[in-house]
Amino acid sequence: MMTTLGAEMTELGEGFATVEAPVHDGALQQHGYGHAGLAFSIGDSAAGYAALTTFAGEVMTVEMKINLLRPCAGDRLIARGKVVKTGRRIVVVTATVSAVADGIEKDIALLQGTMIPV
């Protein structure tokens, strides 16, 4: 999915990860803004990579909620995921997704979810 979206991880550390993706023509919705699916996908990925830093092995998303704050107007998205709390079996995560237009970042989405090791 990351390859399809042109997304790449640009930062990774203990409990956090950053994923960036271009807003290309194939990721636009009917009004010309970036599609919410793009924001969700890279937000979920950033949160998942952040969770991976707290477990050995792999993780999967159990559930993820998104609040869309404003239309995705920009040429690039930046998703910053972080671990909120690590439990024995699950990890609570969050991600903020920002759109970059003319060098200015504006938050467009907030995600919160749960990851589980597999």
Side-chain angles (χ1 to χ4, degrees), residues 39 66-70 95-98 106-111:
I66 188 169
N67 289 100
L68 301 169
L69 306 175
R70 62 175 49 90
T96 302
V97 182
S98 302
K106 290 187 179 179
D107 291 347
I108 61 159
L110 297 173
L111 291 83

Side-chain angles (χ1 to χ4, degrees), residues 23-39:
V23 181
H24 52 77
D25 289 343
L28 300 179
Q29 45 91 296
Q30 69 274 18
H31 300 294
Y33 294 106
H35 196 282
L38 175 60

Side-chain angles (χ1 to χ4, degrees), residues 4-5 8 13 22 35 43 47 54 64 66 81 83 89 94 105 109 115:
T4 300
L5 298 174
E8 62 181 331
H35 196 282
T54 65
M64 187 67 71
I66 188 169
V83 171
R89 287 290 300 147
T94 188
E105 281 188 45
M115 303 282 173

Side-chain angles (χ1 to χ4, degrees), residues 5-21:
L5 298 174
E8 62 181 331
M9 185 168 24
T10 57
E11 189 175 21
L12 182 65
E14 185 66 29
F16 69 91
T18 302
V19 173
E20 299 188 34

Side-chain angles (χ1 to χ4, degrees), residues 23-111:
V23 181
H24 52 77
D25 289 343
L28 300 179
Q29 45 91 296
Q30 69 274 18
H31 300 294
Y33 294 106
H35 196 282
L38 175 60
F40 186 89
S41 293
I42 70 166
D44 179 55
S45 291
Y49 283 119
L52 273 174
T53 68
T54 65
F55 278 107
E58 297 294 325
V59 298
M60 291 183 70
T61 304
V62 174
E63 58 84 28
M64 187 67 71
K65 176 198 185 322
I66 188 169
N67 289 100
L68 301 169
L69 306 175
R70 62 175 49 90
C72 173
D75 54 12
R76 186 168 51 99
L77 296 185
I78 302 171
R80 294 179 177 94
K82 70 177 185 174
V83 171
V84 175
K85 183 180 185 313
T86 302
R88 283 183 285 163
R89 287 290 300 147
I90 62 171
V91 182
V92 177
V93 293
T94 188
T96 302
V97 182
S98 302
V100 181
D102 299 322
I104 299 170
E105 281 188 45
K106 290 187 179 179
D107 291 347
I108 61 159
L110 297 173
L111 291 83

